[in-house]
Amino acid sequence: MKKTLAFLTSLALAAALMCPMASAAPGSSLLWLQDNSGSGQAQLTLQNLGSQQVNSVQLELTLDGSYPNAGFSGGSGGGKYSHCKVDASGGKTTVTIYIDSVKTLNQGGSAPLGTLTLGGGGTAPSSVRLTVLDHGLSASGSASSVPVQVGSTSSPGGNGGGGGGSSSSEYSVRVASVKHGSITVRPSGAERGEAVTITTRPDKGYTLSELTATANGRKLTLTDKGGGVYTFTMPGSSVEVRGSFAAGGSTPAELPFTDVAKNIWYYDAVAYVYENGLMAGTSGDTFAPDLSTSRGMIVTILYRLAGSPAAGAPSFPDVPANQYYSNAVAWAAANGVVSGYDDGRFGPNDSITREQMTLILQGFARLQGRDVGARADLSVYEDAGSISGYALESMRWARSVGLISGTSPTTLSPAGTTTRAQAAVIFRSFCESAALGG
């Protein structure tokens, strides 16, 4: 486990993600705008969404023909993250695209997603299955088939019906298809000079054998951060990441948790925190991903990230010496990472709020010798006035460095809470982010 840590860049993203599956609105469709210049690109836009809030989607596209090098660019603006998985076999290609955003993707009934590159030629998919995720805690459902409307454009981004790609100062990072493992990048679009993180994860029985990032035919320098994580500095052009996995080597064991499905969005994050000793199960075979995360849990994870240093006795009346969080709270309080409530309690079992999280993370960052002086203007958020006085500066700092974003264009939800699944995503991103360097 690396002792040098990187800041969390997706706290708000994780908060937006923790929601059940919901069926797409009746009448939803996919607009496929094919580029006729021969680039093999198509702009993808969801249509007829009605007023449904859409923060995350999964598209499963089935195409006739083999496109093993297909890739997707969804941009990274507004806390947006995308990942593409390709399976080309039997004369057909299945492209699965995941898109997550801290803000709703639905803009007036349509959601521009991004640009799919097939690597030459290509026609519209023969079938599309769509899963929509939103903030509705009581919503549930599964993937549904949606129709495809086909159009054309001279070049991606040049037609008002599509969009969702990078801005003029942002360049895309494309990951080529790979077998026997996965390679993901964050962000999927970046400005020149910005740090980009590559995370590699081999399948069981395989290990990474080659990894390159290329821009205009030139290989970029990759920095090995350990644990299958690499970083590079974005040049002033688009980048293609390629890798391969070979048989052999040690690989992570299967998760023992029966309540963490392999195809769920937080599986890899749970695997990461479990394998690195940051989070354990609530029992031998359960993780309880929907359980709220407490103040004691978060401080314990930070304590483990710090290497579990020596700690004195807890100083709070509601923190006895024999609890799992006792040493962590004692260490955090002694080092200025946390403080208690006005009545002297710490509240280790209280659900942690977004504003409390920023205060604790700011304290941890300060302890690590990082600059925490940046401040953002929060006046654009209607609920900025509801931020507790003690957390105002930490919320301004967290927003300034990209640690949090709005839960909507006009809200920060400072009192919103976090689940264990969200916490797993948060701390995986914390450790893998290149924001603080090595």
Side-chain angles (χ1 to χ4, degrees), residues 293-295 298 350-354 356-357 360 415-418:
T293 308
S294 69
R295 286 163 55 86
I298 293 300
D350 294 350
S351 296
I352 193 165
T353 65
R354 282 163 55 83
Q356 291 172 359
M357 178 76 84
I360 291 175
T417 57
T418 304

Side-chain angles (χ1 to χ4, degrees), residues 169-171 187 190-196 232-237 239 434-435:
S169 61
E170 188 178 89
Y171 303 94
E191 296 182 1
R192 182 173 184 172
E194 186 176 352
V196 178
F232 67 86
T233 301
M234 193 70 183
S237 61
V239 173

Side-chain angles (χ1 to χ4, degrees), residues 100-128:
D100 306 316
S101 175
V102 295
K103 300 179 181 179
T104 180
L105 298 168
N106 187 357
Q107 304 297 325
S110 296
L113 302 180
T115 303
L116 177 67
T117 302
L118 297 177
T123 58
S126 57
S127 68
V128 176

Side-chain angles (χ1 to χ4, degrees), residues 147-213:
V148 181
Q149 298 182 17
V150 181
S152 63
T153 180
S154 58
S155 61
N159 186 299
S166 301
S167 65
S168 58
S169 61
E170 188 178 89
Y171 303 94
S172 65
V173 184
R174 176 178 172 272
V175 180
S177 175
V178 65
K179 295 181 178 180
H180 310 305
S182 66
I183 298 176
T184 58
V185 296
R186 293 189 182 184
S188 58
E191 296 182 1
R192 182 173 184 172
E194 186 176 352
V196 178
T197 300
I198 306 173
T199 302
T200 65
R201 188 174 182 82
D203 290 342
K204 186 176 182 179
Y206 289 84
T207 187
L208 181 70
S209 60
E210 183 179 9
L211 183 67
T212 61

